[in-house]
Short mmCIF file of all heavy atoms in Angstrom, two decimals:
data_model
loop_
_atom_site.label_atom_id
_atom_site.label_comp_id
_atom_site.label_asym_id
_atom_site.label_seq_id
_atom_site.Cartn_x
_atom_site.Cartn_y
_atom_site.Cartn_z
N SER W 225 151.15 66.50 245.89
CA SER W 225 152.57 66.75 245.61
C SER W 225 153.31 65.51 245.16
O SER W 225 154.32 65.59 244.45
CB SER W 225 153.25 67.33 246.86
OG SER W 225 153.17 66.40 247.94
N ALA W 226 152.84 64.31 245.55
CA ALA W 226 153.51 63.06 245.18
C ALA W 226 153.03 62.51 243.85
O ALA W 226 153.56 61.51 243.37
CB ALA W 226 153.30 62.01 246.27
N TYR W 227 152.06 63.15 243.20
CA TYR W 227 151.48 62.65 241.95
C TYR W 227 152.34 63.09 240.76
O TYR W 227 151.91 63.83 239.88
CB TYR W 227 150.05 63.16 241.79
CG TYR W 227 149.02 62.38 242.58
CD1 TYR W 227 149.14 62.19 243.94
CD2 TYR W 227 147.90 61.84 241.95
CE1 TYR W 227 148.19 61.47 244.66
CE2 TYR W 227 146.94 61.13 242.66
CZ TYR W 227 147.10 60.95 244.02
OH TYR W 227 146.15 60.24 244.73
N ILE W 228 153.57 62.62 240.72
CA ILE W 228 154.47 62.96 239.62
C ILE W 228 154.43 61.87 238.56
O ILE W 228 154.07 60.73 238.83
CB ILE W 228 155.91 63.18 240.11
CG1 ILE W 228 156.49 61.87 240.67
CG2 ILE W 228 155.98 64.29 241.13
CD1 ILE W 228 157.98 61.92 240.92
N TYR W 229 154.80 62.22 237.34
CA TYR W 229 154.80 61.25 236.25
C TYR W 229 155.80 61.66 235.19
O TYR W 229 156.25 62.81 235.12
CB TYR W 229 153.40 61.12 235.63
CG TYR W 229 152.87 62.41 235.03
CD1 TYR W 229 153.19 62.80 233.73
CD2 TYR W 229 152.05 63.27 235.78
CE1 TYR W 229 152.72 63.98 233.18
CE2 TYR W 229 151.58 64.45 235.25
CZ TYR W 229 151.92 64.81 233.96
OH TYR W 229 151.45 65.99 233.42
N ARG W 230 156.16 60.68 234.38
CA ARG W 230 156.97 60.91 233.17
C ARG W 230 156.17 60.38 231.99
O ARG W 230 155.83 59.20 231.93
CB ARG W 230 158.32 60.20 233.28
CG ARG W 230 159.22 60.36 232.06
CD ARG W 230 160.61 59.80 232.34
NE ARG W 230 160.57 58.38 232.63
CZ ARG W 230 160.70 57.43 231.69
NH1 ARG W 230 160.85 57.76 230.42
NH2 ARG W 230 160.68 56.17 232.02
N LEU W 231 155.84 61.25 231.06
CA LEU W 231 155.03 60.90 229.90
C LEU W 231 155.90 60.94 228.65
O LEU W 231 156.48 61.97 228.32
CB LEU W 231 153.86 61.88 229.77
CG LEU W 231 152.99 61.76 228.52
CD1 LEU W 231 152.26 60.42 228.49
CD2 LEU W 231 151.99 62.91 228.45
N THR W 232 156.03 59.79 227.98
CA THR W 232 156.80 59.73 226.74
C THR W 232 155.85 59.81 225.56
O THR W 232 154.87 59.04 225.47
CB THR W 232 157.61 58.43 226.65
OG1 THR W 232 158.47 58.33 227.79
CG2 THR W 232 158.46 58.40 225.39
N LEU W 233 156.09 60.75 224.66
CA LEU W 233 155.28 60.94 223.46
C LEU W 233 156.16 60.70 222.24
O LEU W 233 157.28 61.19 222.18
CB LEU W 233 154.72 62.37 223.43
CG LEU W 233 153.85 62.79 224.62
CD1 LEU W 233 153.54 64.27 224.55
CD2 LEU W 233 152.57 61.97 224.63
N SER W 234 155.63 59.93 221.28
CA SER W 234 156.45 59.59 220.12
C SER W 234 155.59 59.37 218.89
O SER W 234 154.56 58.70 218.95
CB SER W 234 157.25 58.32 220.41
OG SER W 234 158.02 57.95 219.28
N ASN W 235 156.02 59.96 217.77
CA ASN W 235 155.51 59.52 216.47
C ASN W 235 156.66 58.93 215.65
O ASN W 235 156.55 58.74 214.45
CB ASN W 235 154.83 60.66 215.71
CG ASN W 235 155.75 61.83 215.44
OD1 ASN W 235 156.97 61.72 215.56
ND2 ASN W 235 155.18 62.97 215.09
N GLY W 236 157.75 58.63 216.37
CA GLY W 236 158.89 57.92 215.81
C GLY W 236 158.95 56.53 216.41
O GLY W 236 157.95 56.00 216.90
N PRO W 237 160.12 55.90 216.44
CA PRO W 237 160.22 54.52 216.94
C PRO W 237 159.85 54.43 218.42
O PRO W 237 160.27 55.26 219.23
CB PRO W 237 161.69 54.16 216.70
CG PRO W 237 162.39 55.47 216.59
CD PRO W 237 161.43 56.42 215.98
N ALA W 238 159.05 53.42 218.76
CA ALA W 238 158.65 53.15 220.15
C ALA W 238 158.75 51.65 220.37
O ALA W 238 158.12 50.87 219.65
CB ALA W 238 157.24 53.66 220.42
N LEU W 239 159.54 51.23 221.35
CA LEU W 239 159.81 49.81 221.59
C LEU W 239 158.73 49.22 222.49
O LEU W 239 158.25 49.86 223.42
CB LEU W 239 161.17 49.64 222.24
CG LEU W 239 162.34 50.35 221.58
CD1 LEU W 239 163.63 50.10 222.36
CD2 LEU W 239 162.50 49.89 220.13
N ASP W 240 158.35 47.96 222.21
CA ASP W 240 157.38 47.28 223.05
C ASP W 240 157.99 46.05 223.73
O ASP W 240 157.84 45.87 224.93
CB ASP W 240 156.15 46.85 222.24
CG ASP W 240 155.02 46.40 223.14
OD1 ASP W 240 154.31 47.27 223.67
OD2 ASP W 240 154.87 45.17 223.33
#
Side-chain angles (χ1 to χ4, degrees):
S225 61
Y227 280 54
I228 64 169
Y229 61 85
R230 179 172 62 91
L231 174 64
T232 303
L233 301 172
S234 178
N235 60 15
L239 310 179
D240 192 81

